[in-house]
Amino acid sequence: MADHIDLTAGVLVIGGGLAGAWAALSAAQQGADVILVDKGYCGTSGVTATAGVGHWYLPPEARDAEVAERSRAGGDLTEPDRMHATMEMAWQRLPELDPYYPWPVRDGRPDRRSSVRGPEYMRVMRARARRAGVTILDHHPATELRLHGDGSVAGASGIRLQEGGTWACSASAVILATGGTAFLSRLLGANNNTADGHLMAAEAGVRFSGMEFSCYYTVAAANSTMTRSFPFMYGTYRDCDGNELVFQSFKTGLPKIAQALIRGPVTVVLDRMPSQTRERLPHVQPNFLLPLLRTGIDPFNDPFPVTLRGEGTIRGTGGITLADPDCQTEVAGLYAAGDVASRQPIVGAASGGGQPNSAWGRFGGVASWTDADSEEVRRTVSRELNDLDKNMFRSGDGLRRSLALLDDLWAQVTDHASGGAVRKGVVGNGAEGRDAGRAALRARETVALVAAGRWVLNSAIVRQESRGMHHRVDAPDQDPRFRATVSTWGLDTVLTAVEPAAERQVAEPVAS
C-alpha cells in the first residue's frame, strides 16, 4: 500500500459534522466534484451526533421580532441582514428532511421547529451526501492547507489514520467545517474538537472575531459528560453547606451555581420537574438518565453532585471572520461553515447554541515532542480556558496571567512540535505509520489548542467591559466604545483590532 496518495476535487470539505455534511451535499447538488475528509467517522463525530438539534425555522412574519429580541440579547452586535438570510436558508432547506425524519405533527402540519435526534440526523446526512456523489474519507484528518503563490487556497494535506501514510488533495475551493472547541472540557461529543481548522486558517492569514464570547457553561452531573441542560431547569440546588441556591431563572442562576462550585461541591435534585415531563424524558433525552440510573441515583428524589462544563467556541460565538454571506473568508478559495466560523453577525455576544448555530501550514508533525509533553500542555490549556474563576468571572489581571502561561506554552510547542512529519513520504504505512500518524495528529491538536486559547485571551483582555456572555468583574458594565467587533489574528505575534463600523485600528500585541 502506498505511503502517500494524491487526490483532486472541485471542492474539498474538511470536517464531517452537521455543517460539513450540509456543505458537501450542497456543493454536490450544484454539480461540483466533492471530497469530504473527516478526522473521525462522518455521521458519528462532532457534537450534533450526540445531541438533539433544533433549527432556526421561522416563517417570514415572525422574523423581525426574532431579530429584535436576539439583537438585544446579543449586546447589539448582530447584523440583521445576515440573520434574515440565515433564517431564510433554513426555511428553504429544512423541508428536505421530510422524507427521512418523522416530524411531530401540529395542526395537521409537520412541526419542523422540534428538535431532531442527532444520531438519526447525521445518519441521514451521510447517506444523502454519498447518494449525491460526495466521496467521504473517514479517519483522514487534515493537518495543513496548501496555498498558491498568490496566497489563495490550492487544497490541503493530512494523515490516513487507519491505513498509515499521508494524503494531499488539490481543490479549487476548500470549506473548513471542523467545528468549534471546548478546550477539552469533557463536553459530550467535543473530544475531537481541538481547533484544528482554526489553526489551518490562521496559517493561511485569516482573522477571527468574537473569540472573547467563549465562556458559555452547561450544567452536567459531576461524573458524566452528558451536557443536556433541559432537565436541570427543574432542579433544587444546594451548596456545600446545604443551603439552597435561590434564583429567579435557570439562566440567571448559572453564575450563582458557579460561585458555589468555586467554594465546594454543589448538588441538585430534579424535584420540580412536572410528572408529564418526567414521563417524556426517557424518550426525548434517554442518554441523560442512563448514567444516573446505572449508579443507583433516582434524580427526581436523590440529590447528586453537579459541575459546569465549558462549551468554548461551540455554544460560544467566536471563530473565523466571514467576508461575505456566502461564507467566503478573507483568503481566496477558502470558506468556513458551522462552529469554526464566527457567529457574531447572527447572535452577537450571546450564545448561538441550538437554533442559530445549527442553521449556520507550518506546524506539520512531531519531532522530539512526547505524548507526556503534549498531555501536560493540553491539561494546562483546558484549565486556563475552563476554570470558572478564570473564564466565567474574568478580570484583566487573571486573563493576563493565563495569557502569560499560554505564551510560554506556544514557545514550547512551536519549538518542539514541528518538523514536517506529516508531509509526503515521511509518515509510512502499516502499524508503524499509523502510530506515527496518530502522534503527529496529537501534536498538531496541541498546537491548535494553544493557538485558540491565545486568541480567546487576547480578545477578552481587549474587551474591557461586560457584554453578553463575556463578564469582566473589573468592568461589570457595558461600554459604548465596545459596541464593536474585536478581531484577532496571528501566530507567534497575536494582534487585535477593535472595529466599530468600517473602522480598523490595529492594537499593539497584548503584554503578558
Side-chain angles (χ1 to χ4, degrees), residues 15-81:
L18 185 61
W22 269 110
L25 174 64
S26 298
Q29 288 173 334
Q30 295 177 50
D33 177 23
V34 183
I35 293 177
L36 182 152
V37 293
D38 191 13
K39 179 159 64 169
Y41 180 89
C42 173
T44 63
S45 61
V47 293
T48 295
T50 63
V53 182
H55 291 87
W56 215 14
Y57 190 75
L58 291 170
E61 63 271 16
R63 295 176 192 171
D64 285 341
E66 174 76 359
V67 167
E69 180 180 347
R70 286 195 177 270
S71 295
R72 286 192 296 271
D76 296 320
L77 298 182
T78 57
E79 297 178 20
D81 288 347

Side-chain angles (χ1 to χ4, degrees), residues 141 159-161 165 422 427-428 432-442:
I159 303 167
R160 297 187 294 156
L161 289 178
V422 302
V427 176
E432 183 177 343
R434 289 193 294 271
D435 290 344
R438 292 188 182 101
L441 178 62
R442 185 80 168 176

Side-chain angles (χ1 to χ4, degrees), residues 235-304:
T236 298
Y237 294 82
R238 296 188 181 278
D239 63 16
C240 59
D241 298 319
N243 299 315
E244 182 178 347
L245 302 178
V246 179
F247 36 80
Q248 291 183 337
S249 69
F250 181 65
K251 182 177 180 180
T252 60
L254 283 178
K256 289 190 175 182
I257 295 173
Q259 290 166 343
L261 280 167
I262 292 171
R263 292 181 52 241
V266 172
T267 61
V268 67
V269 57
L270 307 181
D271 55 346
R272 299 178 180 178
M273 184 177 290
S275 57
Q276 184 178 9
T277 306
R278 294 188 191 187
E279 293 171 1
R280 293 179 56 239
L281 189 60
H283 305 286
V284 176
Q285 293 189 352
N287 51 354
F288 172 80
L289 287 173
L290 282 176
L292 298 169
L293 297 177
R294 285 174 176 171
T295 55
I297 295 172
D298 173 2
F300 308 114
N301 295 291
D302 302 332
F304 58 95

Side-chain angles (χ1 to χ4, degrees), residues 303-492:
F304 58 95
V306 295
T307 188
L308 289 175
R309 300 212 181 277
E311 302 214 17
T313 66
I314 293 174
R315 276 204 177 181
T317 295
I320 297 169
T321 299
L322 301 180
D324 61 38
D326 292 329
C327 297
Q328 167 82 49
T329 72
E330 298 166 305
V331 175
L334 181 63
Y335 299 79
D339 289 349
V340 72
S342 175
R343 284 131 293 154
Q344 182 177 309
I346 62 171
V347 294
S351 170
Q355 297 173 350
N357 282 3
S358 298
W360 184 265
R362 60 181 178 139
F363 309 115
V366 57
S368 59
W369 193 249
T370 68
D371 283 345
D373 295 328
S374 182
E375 189 57 38
E376 179 57 32
V377 172
R378 292 159 78 99
R379 280 197 296 267
T380 301
V381 173
S382 184
R383 181 179 64 246
E384 297 304 315
L385 273 298
N386 281 310
D387 277 8
L388 296 170
D389 56 344
K390 296 173 181 175
N391 193 49
M392 180 178 276
F393 306 108
R394 292 168 165 173
S395 69
D397 289 343
L399 291 166
R400 284 187 167 82
R401 283 194 293 270
S402 294
L403 180 60
L405 282 173
L406 265 65
D407 282 345
D408 287 343
L409 293 181
W410 181 254
Q412 296 176 38
V413 298
T414 54
D415 283 344
H416 296 287
S418 60
V422 302
R423 294 189 176 92
K424 182 175 180 179
V426 181
V427 176
N429 60 9
E432 183 177 343
R434 289 193 294 271
D435 290 344
R438 292 188 182 101
L441 178 62
R442 185 80 168 176
R444 178 71 175 177
E445 291 175 339
T446 302
V447 173
L449 286 165
V450 177
R454 294 170 76 228
W455 296 321
V456 166
L457 293 168
N458 275 275
S459 297
I461 289 169
V462 168
R463 187 173 286 281
Q464 299 174 40
E465 63 158 2
S466 293
R467 187 181 296 263
M469 70 178 78
H470 169 73
H471 181 68
R472 288 276 296 259
V473 296
D474 54 352
D477 301 318
Q478 284 192 11
D479 186 331
R481 295 176 302 167
F482 289 99
R483 187 179 173 183
T485 295
V486 175
S487 294
T488 183
W489 67 98
L491 291 165
D492 290 335

Side-chain angles (χ1 to χ4, degrees), residues 1-6 160 163-167 424-425 427-430 433:
M1 184 178 294
D3 290 350
H4 177 84
I5 58 172
D6 285 304
R160 297 187 294 156
E163 300 92 340
T166 56
W167 61 268
K424 182 175 180 179
V427 176
N429 60 9

